[in-house]
Amino acid sequence: MKSLRWAAAGVGVMGVAATLLTGCSDVQKALNKGGDTPCSDYVKQDQDTQRTTITKFIKQQTGNDHEPAGTTVDLTIASVNFLCSNQRNASTPIKNADVAGIFLNK
């Protein structure tokens, strides 16, 4: 009987932990700047955070709150990764990253 209570307690603790972790993810999404994220910050993000940033950026650009297609997100990530990794002005927001920025110091 004692082990059953410990098992139930363990399941409860795991449920609370999962809820807290999910909550952090929601907070991160809410605080994410999307297209206003500077290239210097974007290139430091892990892949999941970059995907969240790009998804929010696409939603901002389209004015649509629906999840964009995965291929759209993937292509945008590839473009922004290329542009930001070569951007001379690291404070350039990802929404303004452009090919000219690779060659010109804006």
Side-chain angles (χ1 to χ4, degrees), residues 38-40 43 80-93 96-106:
C39 279
S40 59
V43 297
V80 171
N81 282 344
F82 174 75
L83 294 170
C84 282
S85 67
N86 293 300
Q87 195 64 246
R88 287 188 181 185
N89 185 351
S91 64
T92 300
N96 294 339
D98 58 18
V99 175
I102 295 171
F103 304 108
L104 304 171
N105 192 5
K106 293 184 175 181

Side-chain angles (χ1 to χ4, degrees), residues 13-63:
V13 168
M14 289 186 338
V16 169
T19 301
L20 289 174
L21 290 175
T22 302
C24 290
S25 176
D26 291 341
V27 169
Q28 287 175 347
K29 286 179 184 178
L31 295 177
N32 189 301
K33 297 178 188 175
D36 292 326
T37 302
C39 279
S40 59
D41 291 349
Y42 176 81
V43 297
K44 295 175 188 173
Q45 294 175 343
D46 61 45
Q47 288 180 341
D48 290 335
T49 305
Q50 285 181 344
R51 188 165 201 84
T52 299
T53 300
I54 294 299
T55 300
K56 187 168 185 174
F57 167 49
I58 293 169
K59 288 179 180 181
Q60 290 168 337
Q61 291 296 103
T62 61

